[in-house]
Amino acid sequence: MYYDKVESLERDEIDALQADRLRKVVETAMASPFYKKKYAEADIDPASIKTVDDVRRLPFTTKNDLRNNYPDGFLTRPVEDFVRLHVSSGTTGTPTAVYYTQSDLDKWADLMARSMYCCGVRKSDVLQNMSGYGLFTGGLGIHYGSERLGCLTIPAGAGNTKRQIKLIRDFNVSVMHIIPSFALYFAQKVRDEGFEPKTMPWRIALIGAEPHTEDTRKRIEELMNIKAFNSYGMTEMNGPGVAFECEHQNGMHIWEDSYLPEIINPQTGEHVKEGEIGELVMTTLTREGMPLIRYRTRDLTRFIPGKCACGRVHRRMDRIAGRADDMLIIKGVNIYPMQIEKILMAMPEVGQNYLIELIREKFIDQIRVKVEIKDEFFVEDMRVLQSLQKRIAAKLRDEILVTPRVELVMHNSIPKSEGKAQRVVDLRDVEG
Ligand code: ADP
Ligand code: ZN
């Protein structure tokens, strides 16, 4: 049932393990220039860490700290002790670099293998990794985990839909790792190429790396006739394999033997009440080369209360509601792109892609949402289309509290990137 023993630990055992590892990681971290200085200033003594709650006495580490100490201010040992380096995608600004020792890589591969096993991937599976290789951790991270689990692993990389389909059919691919926005596009493309999803050999899709809604998952599952499991991670915490859904698909188990998660109010820095949404803060508990302590992820989520039916005690987090950096402020109202996706993906007329444009109308910021409409709904009758457009605008207004401009466009007409989807484009200075 479980990949390793750690998964069946009880709560008190996890707490004890975390407290012990937290003390050790603080000790280790003090060998890095950044934490040495920071903890000396804050007068932190590792020996005083006795319980998990003691984490609250430690200062936060931010993305800016990483940038200001780029590239090697967080390393606990000389560069020659490291064997790998990744750089984050840089979705929200300057990228950050993470270095791994061989032991860090081994532990990461174990976590990845555990993650995949947890949602039903087995040694007998053939896994096609359709995310970009290179600096993006979704490539090598999934790759080594899949090999560790014993799967036949195909490093297909991103893009090239036709070749992807051929590989899947030729080698009986049963598991795909694919970015959700690309999965929607790909699923449609497979149909357009004349293949019936039911006749494809796949059974599991591992989807992650970008925010998506429950309806997006359902669409992927239906279009592909597959089970899709949410995978969460970030370069600063190794990459994928931080939290993963089990077969029950009701939130992602955070691997608490390796990470200490907290959810804080981003304004006050205090813990939110159990079950409330806030900013996820993470501590690496086992990384030796480049530990990060109380790292502010800027991702918004909540812990899901209660125990999962799979029996794992490792706490579950809800799907990411958005990144703090993604928040738009329109007419004084805070809006997250996922609120828009939630409405759109629940509407049967809407196709697989959309784009949010920030525009300026008469000196006032406004949003325009371009929405792909499925072919069968793209009729010639203007009245029908106008009423659909109005209905979408009204539904969006109910969710985001401002009325967006809605533009209906044809299926596959919004450019699709191979990597993470860029949902928002700022045209305020272009069109304004
Ligand atoms: P970047 O932050 O530049 O995109 P990464 O490739 O390290 O670089 O991406 C990590 C980020 O991707 C996370 O902080 C989170 O915002 C997003 N992310 C990763 N997995 C998921 C997921 N399953 N659901 C939502 N967002 C995710
Ligand atoms: Zn579970």
Side-chain angles (χ1 to χ4, degrees), residues 41 50 68 70 150 228-230 261 282 312 320 354 366 426:
E41 279 163 13
K50 303 251 160 37
N68 295 339
Y70 181 91
F229 297 91
N230 198 355
M282 292 291 247
R312 291 177 184 85
I320 302 291
Y354 66 93
Q366 172 65 278
D426 192 345

Side-chain angles (χ1 to χ4, degrees), residues 246 248 250 253 308 310 312:
C246 68
H248 296 281
N250 52 6
H253 289 285
C308 182
C310 72
R312 291 177 184 85

Side-chain angles (χ1 to χ4, degrees), residues 35 61-67 70 74-75 85-100 104 108 111 135-138 209 232-242 258-259 280-299 323 325 420:
Y35 284 113
T61 305
T62 64
K63 222 176 179 87
N64 264 341
D65 292 330
L66 283 176
R67 286 173 184 155
Y70 181 91
F74 279 82
L75 304 192
L85 181 143
H86 279 284
V87 172
S88 76
S89 315
T91 310
T92 58
T94 325
T96 49
V98 175
Y99 295 63
Y100 308 71
D104 292 336
W108 181 21
L111 279 181
L135 291 173
F136 178 49
T137 51
Y232 174 81
M234 83 202 70
T235 311
E236 294 85 341
M237 293 290 128
N238 288 341
V242 173
S258 304
Y259 301 98
L280 181 67
V281 171
M282 292 291 247
T283 297
T284 62
L285 290 176
T286 58
R287 207 155 64 182
E288 59 174 24
M290 187 178 162
L292 289 181
I293 296 164
R294 301 201 89 195
Y295 179 67
R296 294 189 58 159
T297 66
R298 319 222 1 102
D299 287 333
R323 290 181 176 216
D325 316 77
K420 303 189 186 212

Side-chain angles (χ1 to χ4, degrees), residues 90-362:
T91 310
T92 58
T94 325
T96 49
V98 175
Y99 295 63
Y100 308 71
T101 64
Q102 187 58 52
S103 148
D104 292 336
L105 286 183
D106 284 336
K107 287 183 217 140
W108 181 21
D110 281 335
L111 279 181
M112 254 334 301
R114 184 202 287 170
S115 299
M116 294 193 283
Y117 192 94
C118 150
C119 71
V121 182
R122 293 293 177 269
K123 184 182 173 336
S124 51
D125 279 302
V126 180
L127 184 143
Q128 183 153 317
N129 189 5
M130 297 169 62
S131 73
Y133 274 67
L135 291 173
F136 178 49
T137 51
L140 293 177
I142 297 279
H143 185 97
Y144 279 89
S146 170
E147 290 184 351
R148 177 69 47 102
L149 186 50
C151 301
L152 176 61
T153 307
I154 309 179
N160 201 340
T161 311
K162 283 195 180 151
R163 193 182 59 182
Q164 300 277 8
I165 299 175
K166 181 163 166 51
L167 289 170
I168 290 168
R169 290 165 54 83
D170 288 356
F171 301 106
N172 255 326
V173 169
S174 50
V175 181
M176 290 178 291
H177 175 240
I178 184 167
I179 287 183
S181 56
F182 187 70
L184 282 174
Y185 166 83
F186 184 69
Q188 191 61 50
K189 200 82 185 152
V190 169
R191 288 167 168 244
D192 295 348
E193 294 282 325
F195 297 108
E196 182 46 47
K198 281 206 176 61
T199 66
M200 299 296 275
W202 58 46
R203 61 185 193 96
I204 290 179
L206 313 174
I207 56 170
E210 64 184 7
H212 56 288
T213 63
E214 187 60 35
D215 278 301
T216 299
R217 183 234 297 273
K218 288 206 191 98
R219 272 180 182 233
I220 294 170
E221 294 197 325
E222 279 162 24
L223 281 165
M224 301 185 115
N225 189 37
I226 206 167
K227 278 269 164 218
F229 297 91
N230 198 355
S231 149
Y232 174 81
M234 83 202 70
T235 311
E236 294 85 341
M237 293 290 128
N238 288 341
V242 173
F244 227 90
E245 275 185 334
C246 68
E247 74 249 61
H248 296 281
Q249 294 184 308
N250 52 6
M252 297 173 278
H253 289 285
I254 305 169
W255 301 125
E256 290 190 88
D257 56 309
S258 304
Y259 301 98
L260 175 60
E262 303 168 71
I263 293 185
I264 61 161
N265 173 325
Q267 270 79 47
T268 64
E270 296 298 320
H271 283 195
V272 299
K273 287 203 206 79
E274 182 76 14
E276 272 178 22
I277 202 160
E279 178 182 346
L280 181 67
V281 171
M282 292 291 247
T283 297
T284 62
L285 290 176
T286 58
R287 207 155 64 182
E288 59 174 24
M290 187 178 162
L292 289 181
I293 296 164
R294 301 201 89 195
Y295 179 67
R296 294 189 58 159
T297 66
R298 319 222 1 102
D299 287 333
L300 303 172
T301 184
R302 64 180 192 111
F303 289 134
I304 299 179
K307 205 175 160 179
C308 182
C310 72
R312 291 177 184 85
V313 176
H314 296 256
R315 239 179 303 181
R316 286 168 299 154
M317 59 183 249
D318 210 340
R319 56 177 67 255
I320 302 291
R323 290 181 176 216
D325 316 77
D326 286 346
M327 191 178 79
L328 308 169
I329 304 177
I330 301 293
K331 297 180 181 162
V333 183
N334 299 347
I335 301 171
Y336 288 98
M338 276 309 105
Q339 292 176 279
I340 293 176
E341 177 164 324
K342 190 173 107 195
I343 298 300
L344 295 179
M345 289 298 142
M347 296 186 70
E349 298 90 346
V350 172
Q352 316 309 354
N353 206 357
Y354 66 93
L355 183 68
I356 301 165
E357 294 176 333
L358 293 182
I359 53 175
R360 195 170 286 146
E361 281 177 350
K362 300 195 185 97

